[in-house]
C-alpha cells in the first residue's frame, strides 16, 4: 500500500470513529428510549404552548371557538404525510425528515419569541415557554443526530428556510405566523412520537 492510500484510509477511519463515537452502538436503544420519553413531555407541553399562545393574542385568536387548522406560513414545515408514504420510509429517512423540520421550527420559534417580546412583552410565561420549547428542540436535534450516526447516517445539511425579509410583517401577520408555528410544531411532535414508537419496536431497550 502506498503512503497516500494509507493516509486516506486513516482519514476515513477517523471520520468513521468521529461519527460513531457519540453513542456506542449497543446503547442506541437507550437513546431511542430517552428520546421517546423526552418527546412525550414535549407532546404534553405543545398543547399548553399553543393554548397559552392563543390566549395571549386577543381576538379572534383568544376566542374559544378559534380554529384555523389549514393555515400555513411560507417555510414552516407541515407534518401531514400519506400513511403509506410514511410507513415505507427507511428509519434514516424518517429521522432525517424530523431533523429538517425541527431545524426550521427552531428558527421560527426564535422569530416568534422576538415578535412576542415586542407584542406581548409582559407575558413572561409565554416567552419562557417559547424559549424552553426551543431548547428542547435543540436537545432533540442532538439526539436525532446521535441516533442517525449509530444507524450509519447523518442529517442532510439544512438550508436556512427563513429569509431576513420575511421578518418584517404587520402585527396581525406576526400573530398568525406564531399561531401556525405553535400549531404545526404540535403536529410535528405528534408525528415524531409515532416515528419513535415504531423505532422503539425495532430497537427494544
Ligand atoms: C450496530 O448494531 C447493528 C445491529 O445490532 C449491526 O447490524 C451494525 O453492524 C452495528 N454497527 C456498528 C457500527 O457496529
Ligand atoms: C414543559 O414545560 C414546563 C413548564 O413550562 C418546563 O419546566 C419543562 O421543562 C417542559 N418540558 C419539556 C420537555 O418541554
Ligand atoms: C446522545 C444524546 O444526545 N442523548 C440525549 C438525548 O436526550 C436526553 C434527554 O434530553 C438526554 O438526557 C441525552 O443525553
Amino acid at each position: 500500500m502506498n503512503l497516500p492510500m494509507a493516509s486516506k484510509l486513516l482519514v476515513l477511519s477517523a471520520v468513521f470513529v468521529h461519527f460513531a463515537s457519540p453513542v456506542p452502538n449497543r446503547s442506541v436503544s437507550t437513546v431511542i428510549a430517552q428520546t421517546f420519553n423526552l418527546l412525550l413531555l414535549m407532546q404534553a407541553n405543545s398543547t399548553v404552548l399553543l393554548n397559552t399562545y392563543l390566549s395571549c393574542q386577543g381576538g379572534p385568536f383568544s376566542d374559544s371557538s378559534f380554529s384555523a387548522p389549514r393555515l400555513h406560513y411560507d417555510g414552516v414545515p407541515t407534518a401531514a404525510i400519506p400513511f403509506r408514504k410514511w410507513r415505507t420510509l427507511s428509519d434514516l429517512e424518517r429521522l432525517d425528515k424530523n431533523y429538517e423540520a425541527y431545524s426550521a421550527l427552531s428558527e421560527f420559534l426564535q422569530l416568534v419569541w422576538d415578535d412576542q417580546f415586542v407584542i406581548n412583552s409582559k407575558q413572561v410565561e409565554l416567552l419562557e415557554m417559547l424559549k424552553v420549547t426551543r431548547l428542547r428542540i435543540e436537545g432533540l436535534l442532538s439526539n436525532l443526530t446521535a441516533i442517525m450516526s449509530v444507524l450509519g447516517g447523518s442529517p442532510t445539511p439544512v438550508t436556512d428556510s427563513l429569509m431576513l425579509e420575511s421578518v418584517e410583517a404587520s402585527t396581525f401577520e406576526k400573530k398568525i405566523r406564531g399561531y401556525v408555528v405553535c400549531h404545526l410544531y404540535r403536529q410535528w411532535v405528534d408525528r415524531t412520537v409515532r416515528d419513535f414508537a415504531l423505532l422503539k419496536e425495532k430497537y427494544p431497550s
Side-chain angles (χ1 to χ4, degrees), residues 22-23 31 34-35 38 139 142-143 146:
V23 195
V31 187
Q34 276 178 348
T35 310
L38 168 69
S142 123
N143 276 18

Side-chain angles (χ1 to χ4, degrees), residues 4-36:
M5 179 63 135
S7 64
K8 261 183 206 148
L9 276 179
L10 205 64
V11 170
L12 268 182
S13 57
V15 167
F16 179 73
V17 168
H18 171 74
F19 271 115
S21 61
V23 195
N25 194 17
R26 66 182 176 285
S27 68
V28 65
S29 46
T30 311
V31 187
I32 290 173
Q34 276 178 348
T35 310
F36 186 69

Side-chain angles (χ1 to χ4, degrees), residues 160-174:
D160 279 348
S161 49
L162 190 53
M163 300 307 288
L164 190 57
E165 306 88 77
S166 57
V167 170
E168 294 300 326
S170 68
T171 300
F172 188 66
E173 184 180 338
K174 285 176 179 171

